[in-house]
Amino acid sequence: MLNPRIVSMIVSKTLFMGTANDNLPRVRPMRPFLDKDQNIWLISYANAEKIKEIQNNKQVELCTVSDKHDVLRIQGSLLMEEELSDAEVALVRKQIFENVPNLGDFFAGADDVNMVVCKLQIKNIIFRPMETAKKNELNFPPVD
């Protein structure tokens, strides 16, 4: 089970997904869906450039920062729909469409062929709560 503070950040913040393509990093904002078993799912257009990148290299990192400056990094690999059971995909697509606000503005329904979902297999979580961070390690440029 994920720490409640981590769950709160996943469901309330925009996470930024890092991929690598031809030795060039790519970072995109994402709004993940967390199911009842705390699996992290990402939603995209099926023909998006990031889907092609993920098919070539499934290793990704999701990052965000809370309003209190806690840092969350989640590393893992993404499973594409064809790597999952049809029943699991159908169920999560339905849950995503019922629970993600405004998804109907982008997709016609849970079975829209233009929508693809990917499941994150978490390999590592790095969480740095601000209260445990050493203040002298944070370096900000002086304000003019």
Side-chain angles (χ1 to χ4, degrees):
M1 295 296 285
L2 296 172
N3 176 294
R5 288 174 71 183
I6 292 172
V7 168
S8 175
M9 289 175 73
I10 293 170
V11 299
S12 69
K13 305 303 288 180
T14 298
L15 277 70
F16 292 85
M17 180 180 70
T19 61
N21 187 41
D22 295 328
N23 287 328
L24 185 63
R26 308 274 187 188
V27 179
R28 296 171 176 88
M30 302 290 291
R31 289 301 308 250
F33 174 73
L34 193 67
D35 69 19
K36 65 178 178 54
D37 296 323
Q38 296 189 341
N39 293 304
I40 298 172
W41 295 85
L42 300 176
I43 309 147
S44 180
Y45 286 108
N47 63 351
E49 191 66 28
K50 69 179 156 277
I51 297 301
K52 295 173 194 164
E53 292 171 8
I54 291 164
Q55 289 169 334
N56 290 329
N57 182 354
K58 296 180 182 196
Q59 303 304 308
V60 299
E61 183 168 315
L62 299 173
C63 304
T64 194
V65 178
S66 76
D67 295 338
K68 295 180 181 181
H69 306 288
D70 301 330
V71 175
L72 174 63
R73 296 172 54 202
I74 305 171
Q75 300 163 334
S77 60
L78 288 175
L79 293 174
M80 306 302 287
E81 288 188 16
E82 58 270 12
E83 299 174 274
L84 303 165
S85 74
D86 291 342
E88 182 178 26
V89 170
L91 177 63
V92 80
R93 278 173 158 263
K94 182 178 184 295
Q95 291 173 355
I96 287 171
F97 213 81
E98 290 172 351
N99 292 290
V100 175
N102 304 319
L103 200 58
D105 295 342
F106 303 97
F107 301 104
D111 58 352
D112 189 333
V113 296
N114 295 309
M115 182 174 79
V116 65
V117 296
C118 304
K119 183 179 184 179
L120 182 65
Q121 287 186 303
I122 298 172
K123 298 226 174 22
N124 191 33
I125 296 176
I126 301 161
F127 179 62
R128 190 203 73 202
M130 187 54 154
E131 66 267 13
T132 63
K134 294 183 179 179
K135 302 292 185 195
N136 60 359
E137 290 181 353
L138 300 176
N139 298 304
F140 297 100
V143 178
D144 293 334

